[in-house]
Amino acid sequence: MYDILNQDIKYLPGVGPRRKEILSKELGINTFGDLLEYYPYKYVDRSKIYQISELTGDMPFVQIKGQILSFEEFDMGPRRKRVVAHMTDGTGVVDLVWFSKAQYVTRDYKVNTEYIVFGKPTVYNYRYQFAHPDMEKAADVKLSEMGMQPYYVTTEKMKTMGLTSRAIERLTKNLVESISTPLPETLPPFITNRLRLVARDTALRHIHYPKTLQDVQHAQLRLKFEELFYVQLNILRYASDHRRKYRGYVFEHVGALFNGFYHNNLPFPLTEAQKRVMREIRADMGSGRQMNRLLQGDVGSGKTLVALMSMLIALDNGYQACIMAPTEILAEQHLTTIRDFLQNMDIRVELLTGIVKGKRREAILQGLADGSVQILVGTHAVIEDWVQFRNLGMVVIDEQHRFGVAQRAKLWGKSQNPPHILVMTATPIPRTLAMTIYGDLDVSIIDELPPGRKPVVTLHKYDNQTTSLYQGIRQQINEGRQVYIVFPLIKESEKSDLKNLEEGYAALLEVFPEFRLSKVHGKMKSKEKEAEMQRFVSGETQILVATTVIEVGVNVPNASVMVILDAQRFGLSQLHQLRGRVGRGADQSYCILVTTPQLSTETRKRIDIMCDTNDGFRIAEADLKLRGPGDLEGTQQSGMAFDLKIADIARDGQIVQMARDEAQKIIDDDPTCQKQEYKMLWDRLRELRKTNINWAAIS
């Protein structure tokens, strides 16, 4: 059976070499099996016939049955005609319209013959019409066999080759009908029986040719579960192997440094969420297994403080710690924050980035090698081969999605045992997504802000209301605050966006002649950009005009207003990250979303969500539902490609959890993948890993 599924698609009747080339390039369909796993995206019920008198203008695709009364032809220019057929079923009359291939219409369809017509009804000249409908002779159709008609996504290139949704449907039907023996099962009976899943053969036949909506639902559940189950099984197998192979350093001792900091230097009492996360981290570090933990928390929730206290545990046990940040600006801010926290404590903290050179760099490298540098703050420069630690025991990685898997793996070579890893992100990740992207990491969440922080007030203004906007900005600056104004440079290559920024900056200079402005965008040289940023950080300038380069890593507690121009061009996650740049001090802060008055329904939803809540997790869930997982910032670089053919992480959360639970049972019972009763599962997993899907898990 696998031989049939592996057969080249060009040998399927109706395909051939040219269509095979298009199917391969456009959809990645190369074999019979690939076509079988190219699933419909929607279905239309073809079992019901509507009367013409029942039609309304807002109906989706429907079927009617009637006879053609007459044809009319209308000239539409040289060698072009519009053909209209008038049809009745006794309850009313509709027009069937063709704008192309008109010469075939009167040849193929006859007056006084009964047809079943399928299409979308629209109203034209007070009469219902169907443009280019599907038509079949009523005598040739058995309604009881029509069932639900599948619809497949196709591209323009495919359509030029005649590969429409209907053509894909016919090809798939030919393939399914040619397979006379049941397709092989890929899940054992103890799973399918317990979860009441239909057989794989049934699911694959019904997903393409269901008779009822229930057929569709049962087939989708089976195929979604299987897809997600093998993703979770692979992630959990990897995590299980990792935990068995790599012993972590045992940090049992919580000593003078941690306790001295906790009792004397802690700037404010820890929140309950911070205490809970610290307990989880301490348990990991004392367990004897290597910690791999993801720390999620909104901007300003106190992740850096938790990371520092975790690093102090490593220091108390005689080990070094390191924190990696994606940019030099963020690294420098971490250094400042950590040194402020550790005032009057005898701990050597150093910075290593691309701009640290000469004797200073040599001294730091020597200090790392002999152990006198206890905490290193740096960018990706930290993972270069020439950076050697004496005994690295703990690594904190900030904004995880900015580092590739290979870069992070190099850290492991810096120590005899792999160091404990704490990954921090201020991009809240919905639970179902975290289980899939970061499936081998334990997840900790800081879900409350420190006392005294006021939630940012988010307002929506139209771009014709700038007078009141500028008044508000002027008032805030006169009270001693600073302001961000962000332009939507979505791609660095978009010259029009850069022009908008330059023109906008010039206009703002005229609007605010009494204030000093800085300007930052990604096309600037690194030193120039950092100098401008520094002017704003120091308070020399009151307004920072920027693109999204400020999204991560700028900490200016005095900045109280974030203005986002053309906010309709940003995703929810990005808007939330930008808003996180303000509200970092004790003063009330504001985020102003400026848009055009004409907004799509989806954009208006995004803006409304931003105005309604500051909860990053609610926003992330909404973003996932609106945009899908592949678009969320960071997921594409995270090390696990979403090559899901039918499951949807956003909408199938319950199935993700069900798949996770089942996979965990298997791993718990057979951690070394040796038991005969699970042989089918391990064989199938090996087979899937040979495909072009990137099954690499995060670590």
Side-chain angles (χ1 to χ4, degrees):
M1 178 53 64
Y2 280 118
D3 290 342
I4 293 176
L5 297 183
N6 290 330
Q7 200 160 341
D8 194 315
I9 194 70
K10 72 182 177 187
Y11 297 117
L12 184 69
V15 179
R18 286 190 64 209
R19 279 185 160 186
K20 182 256 167 90
E21 190 180 345
I22 290 284
L23 285 169
S24 178
K25 276 185 183 173
E26 297 294 294
L27 303 177
I29 294 175
N30 296 295
T31 65
F32 286 11
D34 292 340
L35 180 61
L36 210 53
E37 291 184 356
Y38 188 62
Y39 303 120
Y41 72 95
K42 73 170 184 179
Y43 302 85
V44 173
D45 188 354
R46 294 292 303 266
S47 61
K48 180 173 172 60
I49 297 283
Y50 286 85
Q51 292 185 333
I52 292 173
S53 60
E54 294 178 296
L55 297 181
T56 62
D58 58 356
M59 276 182 161
F61 287 78
V62 296
Q63 276 183 144
I64 58 172
K65 182 166 73 169
Q67 291 187 353
I68 294 176
L69 299 171
S70 62
F71 288 99
E72 279 189 275
E73 294 186 4
F74 301 89
D75 282 326
M76 293 177 63
R79 301 173 63 186
R80 289 193 66 202
K81 285 183 179 178
R82 172 166 61 98
V83 174
V84 179
H86 306 295
M87 170 181 262
T88 184
D89 65 353
T91 71
V93 176
V94 295
D95 292 339
L96 314 178
V97 186
W98 291 267
F99 298 95
S100 61
K101 299 187 178 175
Q103 67 271 30
Y104 301 114
V105 173
T106 50
R107 183 195 72 186
D108 293 344
Y109 304 122
K110 304 298 177 192
V111 173
N112 297 328
T113 304
E114 196 168 48
Y115 292 97
I116 288 183
V117 172
F118 177 70
K120 181 169 175 43
T122 56
V123 179
Y124 180 72
N125 277 348
Y126 306 103
R127 193 135 92 180
Y128 288 107
Q129 69 171 24
F130 291 78
H132 292 269
D134 285 348
M135 291 181 60
E136 294 176 81
K137 280 186 182 176
D140 298 339
V141 174
K142 290 182 182 174
L143 278 177
S144 59
E145 294 177 6
M146 288 293 281
M148 311 289 287
Q149 181 172 341
Y151 277 74
Y152 299 84
V153 173
T154 55
T155 66
E156 288 306 314
K157 283 186 182 176
M158 291 172 65
K159 286 171 187 169
T160 60
M161 291 287 290
L163 286 168
T164 59
S165 171
R166 200 65 193 274
I168 298 288
E169 180 192 346
R170 283 192 286 268
L171 290 175
T172 313
K173 188 168 190 176
N174 291 343
L175 173 59
V176 169
E177 288 176 348
S178 71
I179 300 172
S180 53
T181 54
L183 291 156
E185 189 49 82
T186 47
L187 290 174
F190 65 81
I191 289 180
T192 53
N193 292 344
R194 183 168 63 243
L195 300 180
R196 297 182 180 175
L197 299 174
V198 298
R200 188 164 191 265
D201 179 78
T202 304
L204 283 169
R205 292 176 192 275
H206 283 180
I207 200 75
H208 295 291
Y209 296 101
K211 292 285 188 294
T212 64
L213 186 58
Q214 195 175 43
D215 284 349
V216 174
Q217 290 166 341
H218 288 164
Q220 286 180 338
L221 175 61
R222 158 62 205 239
L223 295 170
K224 286 178 178 183
F225 172 83
E226 178 180 336
E227 190 167 58
L228 292 167
F229 170 76
Y230 279 109
V231 169
Q232 295 296 337
L233 187 64
N234 187 66
I235 291 168
L236 293 172
R237 178 202 59 81
Y238 169 85
S240 173
D241 283 357
H242 180 87
R243 287 185 183 122
R244 277 200 327 280
K245 285 177 189 169
Y246 298 106
R247 304 300 297 163
Y249 293 115
V250 180
F251 293 163
E252 298 174 303
H253 190 50
V254 177
L257 295 177
F258 182 94
N259 287 317
F261 175 80
Y262 190 82
H263 294 295
N264 304 320
N265 282 43
L266 202 62
F268 43 76
L270 296 181
T271 63
E272 287 305 313
Q274 286 173 312
K275 289 177 184 175
R276 182 186 67 242
V277 170
M278 277 309 306
R279 285 194 294 271
E280 292 167 350
I281 289 170
R282 283 183 62 177
D284 277 356
M285 294 170 94
S287 68
R289 66 182 180 87
Q290 186 216 5
M291 175 171 76
N292 269 302
R293 188 165 285 278
L294 173 69
L295 176 57
Q296 288 184 255
D298 255 337
V299 171
S301 60
K303 296 185 299 297
T304 307
L305 181 58
V306 167
L308 174 59
M309 292 171 73
S310 306
M311 291 192 280
L312 291 176
I313 294 174
L315 269 58
D316 270 334
N317 286 272
Y319 287 85
Q320 294 163 294
C322 144
I323 179 165
M324 282 174 68
T327 66
E328 290 182 352
I329 290 171
L330 190 51
E332 286 171 8
Q333 286 183 0
H334 277 315
L335 179 77
T336 303
T337 303
I338 289 169
R339 282 183 172 166
D340 287 347
F341 277 144
L342 298 177
Q343 270 180 2
N344 305 319
M345 293 186 72
D346 185 21
I347 294 173
R348 186 177 172 191
V349 184
E350 295 288 359
L351 176 74
L352 188 63
T353 67
I355 58 173
V356 178
K357 303 208 184 287
K359 289 185 178 176
R360 188 177 161 210
R361 171 173 290 217
E362 284 175 29
I364 292 169
L365 294 177
Q366 181 58 44
L368 290 171
D370 64 26
S372 61
V373 172
Q374 293 153 286
I375 296 177
L376 181 69
V377 182
T379 56
H380 60 275
V382 169
I383 62 176
E384 298 297 339
D385 292 338
W386 39 266
V387 180
Q388 296 296 323
F389 293 81
R390 180 169 178 267
N391 53 0
L392 179 63
M394 168 86 188
V395 176
V396 178
I397 299 174
D398 195 15
E399 290 305 332
Q400 136 91 12
H401 62 268
R402 302 293 176 99
F403 293 101
V405 176
Q407 287 177 307
R408 294 191 299 277
K410 285 181 85 171
L411 280 166
W412 291 18
K414 304 283 182 190
S415 195
Q416 190 175 356
N417 278 358
H420 293 296
I421 304 271
L422 182 67
V423 169
M424 298 197 300
T425 180
T427 309
I429 302 157
R431 193 164 172 276
T432 51
L433 194 58
M435 271 195 285
T436 308
I437 305 181
Y438 301 109
D440 64 326
L441 298 183
D442 298 309
V443 178
S444 290
I445 296 172
I446 301 179
D447 50 10
E448 58 183 307
L449 293 177
R453 285 286 176 91
K454 293 176 182 170
V456 178
V457 173
T458 304
L459 304 169
H460 177 206
K461 285 189 177 289
Y462 295 124
D463 53 16
N464 55 10
Q465 299 173 308
T466 51
T467 305
S468 63
L469 174 64
Y470 294 155
Q471 281 175 345
I473 289 173
R474 193 168 270 112
Q475 184 182 337
Q476 286 287 309
I477 296 175
N478 287 332
E479 288 175 10
R481 311 282 168 260
Q482 289 168 279
V483 175
Y484 297 101
I485 299 179
V486 175
F487 281 79
L489 182 60
I490 306 299
K491 291 181 182 169
E492 295 292 355
S493 59
E494 286 187 23
K495 289 180 183 172
S496 62
D497 280 342
L498 206 52
K499 186 181 170 194
N500 287 346
L501 176 75
E502 299 288 1
E503 289 175 354
Y505 178 71
L508 289 166
L509 286 172
E510 291 182 18
V511 172
F512 299 110
E514 71 272 41
F515 301 134
R516 291 187 297 280
L517 280 68
S518 291
K519 176 178 63 176
V520 175
H521 57 79
K523 284 285 187 185
M524 294 166 71
K525 287 180 180 168
S526 192
K527 281 185 182 174
E528 190 186 356
K529 187 164 49 180
E530 285 179 31
E532 285 290 290
M533 287 270 210
Q534 205 52 51
R535 288 176 68 212
F536 186 68
V537 171
S538 67
E540 185 187 333
T541 56
Q542 290 83 42
I543 299 174
L544 176 61
V545 180
T547 62
T548 54
V549 292
I550 62 154
E551 186 184 338
V552 171
V554 181
N555 183 21
V556 184
N558 192 49
S560 64
V561 180
M562 166 64 70
V563 178
I564 304 172
L565 301 175
D566 285 328
Q568 71 274 8
R569 294 181 63 186
F570 294 89
L572 263 176
S573 183
Q574 210 170 24
L575 289 172
H576 182 62
Q577 282 287 320
L578 287 167
R579 177 168 62 184
R581 298 302 104 212
V582 294
R584 302 167 85 86
D587 301 300
Q588 180 62 63
S589 291
Y590 303 88
C591 176
I592 318 293
L593 307 176
V594 182
T595 71
T596 56
Q598 296 80 31
L599 297 176
S600 69
T601 307
E602 190 176 296
T603 303
R604 202 167 285 282
K605 273 186 198 168
R606 284 208 303 272
I607 301 297
D608 289 347
I609 289 163
M610 285 295 296
C611 293
D612 288 346
T613 183
N614 281 285
D615 184 336
F617 289 94
R618 264 188 69 194
I619 287 166
E621 289 282 1
D623 202 21
L624 186 58
K625 283 180 178 153
L626 286 170
R627 297 207 289 160
D631 292 335
L632 287 186
E633 185 188 17
T635 57
Q636 293 291 3
Q637 307 103 297
S638 67
M640 182 162 211
F642 282 149
D643 197 356
L644 299 177
K645 292 176 178 166
I646 189 167
D648 181 325
I649 299 285
R651 293 171 180 82
D652 297 324
Q654 283 184 302
I655 306 176
V656 173
Q657 187 63 60
M658 188 164 73
R660 177 82 168 188
D661 292 344
E662 290 301 318
Q664 190 66 62
K665 286 176 193 169
I666 307 297
I667 293 294
D668 290 344
D669 193 43
D670 187 16
T672 57
C673 313
Q674 300 295 321
K675 288 192 176 180
Q676 191 62 30
E677 64 201 271
Y678 303 123
K679 185 175 184 303
M680 172 195 280
L681 300 177
W682 304 129
D683 287 349
R684 176 67 173 161
L685 193 57
R686 273 191 290 273
E687 186 186 316
L688 288 169
R689 287 172 65 85
K690 288 177 193 168
T691 67
N692 60 2
I693 299 173
N694 178 5
W695 287 81
I698 297 303
S699 66

